Structure formats: structure tokens, C-alpha cells
Amino acid sequence: MSEHMAFRLLDSVEIPMRDGCVLRADIWLPDGEGAWPVLLQRTPYRKEDAFGTQYISALDFRVALRRGYAIVVQDTRGRYSSDGQFVPFSHEIDDGADTLEWLRRQDFCNGEVAMFGASYVGATQVLAAAGNPPGLKAISPHLSTARHGETWTYRSGAVELGFLLLWIIESLGPEDLNRRLANLSADAAARATRLLEMFRRDPQSAFERLPVIDDDLLALAPYAADWFNASRAASAAADREHLDALSATRLPMLVSCGWNDLFLEGALELFETARNRWTSPDTVPDRLIIGPWSHGNPSDWQGDFWLGYPAATAGLSDCQLDFFDAARVATKPASPVVQYFRTGTNSWHAAPDWPLPGTQERTFFLGPDGLADAVPAVDWSLSYVSDTLNPVPSLGGANFLPGLLQGRNSGPKDQAGIESRDDLVLFTSAPLAQGTEITGLVEAIIWVSSTGQSADWTARLCEVDVSGRSIGLVDGICRQPMAGGEVTIRLGHISHLLRRGSRLRLQIASSNFPRFDRNPQSGMAPELAQAADFVPATQTIHGGAERPSRLLVATIPEPFPTVNGFR
């Protein structure tokens, strides 16, 4: 007869914080006698929910238990079984440190703790790591960011409207409102309840509602006052938050992220912060895995395309456990420093560093005839009218639409539905003479003017295949409080092989809704604007020798070795 292992579960164990608040956790113990190393997850999404704690976090509890790890899953402050008030990000440094201190005193813990999990659960790891608490051996933030203003809430002055409202509608609002109802006036409770019911019945109504912020939304989600704030959005990029504290640690970090995830840019910033602590790639204990994934969709189907079985996160559980094994004994993992998935070939590649060694920047200049290698010989301009009450709809890219459990509108999508509009302009290259790999950052630097008081400039890079189909690859935005001059639009990072005969296309517009909030173009703060505050604006893009508008892409002359999935 085969030997059976018996795991144990300690349900809703109370863990006191320094201020007396009690948080509760489920504790899974391996078979036999401890002590064991502990894998800690701190979640606002309910500790009993296997979808978030295991599937999205890409860690199989049974495998971890068999490999001799205890697992602790804790509800964060103010969420589900834990006491206190939930204020996003505010308590995670101290509560993380207090939880680790408590764990290290328990008989089942050998004093070594690693943290894992995705999205906000990744944020709890990053914030705990910034406090550098004793006993924390490694973190594995998945689909998460280094900062929680820029790259989480904001993007180059604009607000991640669709994500933030869906975060309230799907995840934060129902439990948070239920806990606060008794402390609200009868009128405020009724209005907040009606609003949440309407949002959950028709999320599109939440995006279109004006003004964005009002008393009803604040009754439902008081922290929204900090998120939907034009001043905060404008200053977020300059706020380094905890980057310097993370740079001062020596904590190994496994950063796993997705090309189609809205948190990709923040995840890469986190890895670069970790990697730059070391002088040579040979000494780096950190690891970076970039799959094709979007937020909540770790599958092999992204956007309009099936990417093959190896594209899913199925192997990430073993990757994390191998990484934790190495970190506990202070050795480098056996895996490559960087593993990334390249679309176009749908293949995994291994590299020794990030950004990829040998990356070259290629410039395409915008002109009246499209994209070209040379600056146009004559000055030119192209104009369109932006009416943000009739905005250009979000279509594909690294977004969260239409929500965590669906994700149908993220990733590479056919752009035919929007490229026929007259409120965007297209710049298309000649057919490529040879295959071209773009792996790295894509930016557009354009010269602009506007009749509006402020302006948004959005850009999307597309591949136009030999049949003429335009597929979006990556997009970004820049909000100009005072419109005009030279503006840099950071589209973001991709890895894609363009086939010989394909063409590059750059879309330029002034809205990408509902991914980003709408700019009223009148100077009114977007979160306060009513319909009457929105005004159409004529937007003009300029080019020529004196004002060279251009597209910058990171190209890889020679491909890095392929690997059979990540490991």
C-alpha cells in the first residue's frame, strides 16, 4: 500500500498587529513534524478563494506542501475575516512586518518566510519588502508593480479609469460597503447601495457617468477621492514612493508579469530596481519572467489569438518554489535571469539581463506618406477634431477590460473597428524587407498643437500583415495640462517578431476610453467635469526637419536562445 500524506489546516488563526488590530489567517501545514519554511500570502480578496490564492497567483498549494513548505493565507486589514478598516496600501508595511514577526515565533515556522501572490497581493509583498523585516527571505510578486501611484493608478498624467472602477465594482466595493453600512447615514447607505447595484448590472454606465467623482461614489469607496484626482495624477510620475527603500535591500525578487497586463510597466520597473542593486548580471539573484498574460487571464489565449499551450502560466508554480529553495540557502537560481515570451513566433526565450543586451533603438520618422527611416524633406502637419464625449474606444492592449473574470478586451486585437474613425490619424511604414524583432520599450515623440486648454495624446503601435489586417501591439497616453510643443508618449514594452512584408502602423488620437479617463479639453479637472464642461478641440501633429516627430522601437538584431517553456 502506498504511503499517504496528511496535510493539516488551522482555520482563521488570530494574528495581532502592533496597534491591537487582529488579522486572521488560514495556516496549511505539511505532513509530519515541523518546523518548516513558510510561504505567506496577504490578500484583500478572501483567504478561502482558491481562484485568487492559487490560480491567479500561479502556485499549487499541494505541491508546495509536499515540498515541505507551510502556507499562510491572511486576510488583510479591514477585509473579510480580519478586523480594522481597509485603506488601500496604507497599512501593508507595518502589518506585513508584524505578521512576519508573529510567524517567526510560532513552533511550525523555522524562521524563514517567503511571500507570493498576484496584483494587490503583490503590492503587499513589495511594501513589506520596503520595510526590510527580519526573516523575509524572498518575494514573488506576480502581475504587480513597484509603485502604486504611477503605473498602478495613473499613466503619464491620465487615470486608469476602467481598472479603478472595475476594482471597486468587482473586488473592493461589495465587502467594503457591507462593513461600513452601519456607520453611514440611511440616505448615504441607500445611495451607495443603489450605485453599486447599478455598476454591477451595467459596468459601462460606471465608465460613462459624469462627473466621475461625487458624494455617491465616495460613500461607496471613500478612497476614490485619492485616486480620481488630477493633481495627484500630474505629480505621480515624479514620486519614487518606495523605490529607494527597495534599492537598499538585498532581498531576492522573482518578478513575473505579462506583456498584456496593465501593470507591466510597473513590474519591469520593480525588476530593474532589484537588478540594479548588483554590479554584474552574474551575481544577480533576482529573476524576471515575462509571459503574454493579461490581468486575470493567465491562459494561452490572448486578444484575438491562440498562442500555443506553452503560453499559459502552468509551469510558474514550480518556478516559484525553485526560486524560494535557492533564496533560502542564499544561492543563485539555476534558471536564466530573464525568460520572455515572444509573439509572432509564440516562443519562449532566455537572456542574461534586462534590458536585453545588444538592444538597438530604431527610429521611424512620421511624415505625410507614413513612417520612414529619414526625416521628411518638407514641413507638414495633420489635424483631426477630438470630441471626448464621443471618445475613441479602448480596443486591446494592456488593459483590464471588461474585468478580472473576463479580460476579453486585452491583448492583440484587430483595429478595423476604430481605424475608420476620423478622430485619429495613421502613419504606416513600407513593407519590412526582413523580419524584425521588437523586444523592449516603444515610444512616440511628436510635435503637437491644440485649440484646447489641455490635451491627451494617445498612441498605439500596430502590425499590418500582408493581408492588410491591422493588429494592435502596445499603446500609451500622455496628458498635457498646457497643450503644445514636443510630447513623449510612452507606449510601453512588447516582444514581437514582425514578419517580412508586414508593415508598422502608428495610430495617434486623443482618447482611449474607458481604459483612461476623458480629458474635457477645457481646463476643467477631469474628475469634476460635467458634460457641459467638455469642448471639442482641433489637434494637430507637426513634422519636418525642425520638428521631427518620430517613433522609437527597441529592436534585437539576433534572437536570444529559445527554451522549451519557462523554468
Side-chain angles (χ1 to χ4, degrees), residues 307-330:
L307 303 179
Y309 295 115
T313 58
L316 191 53
S317 182
D318 286 338
C319 286
Q320 294 188 82
L321 294 172
D322 291 345
F323 180 79
F324 294 146
D325 286 348
R328 287 174 46 228
V329 295

Side-chain angles (χ1 to χ4, degrees), residues 231-252:
S231 296
R232 286 176 178 265
S235 62
D239 185 355
R240 289 181 55 79
E241 299 184 29
H242 301 286
L243 291 177
D244 294 332
L246 292 167
S247 295
T249 74
R250 288 297 181 263
L251 185 71

Side-chain angles (χ1 to χ4, degrees), residues 291-304:
W293 314 304
S294 52
H295 212 76
N297 177 12
S299 77
D300 47 14
W301 188 278
Q302 299 289 329
D304 292 342

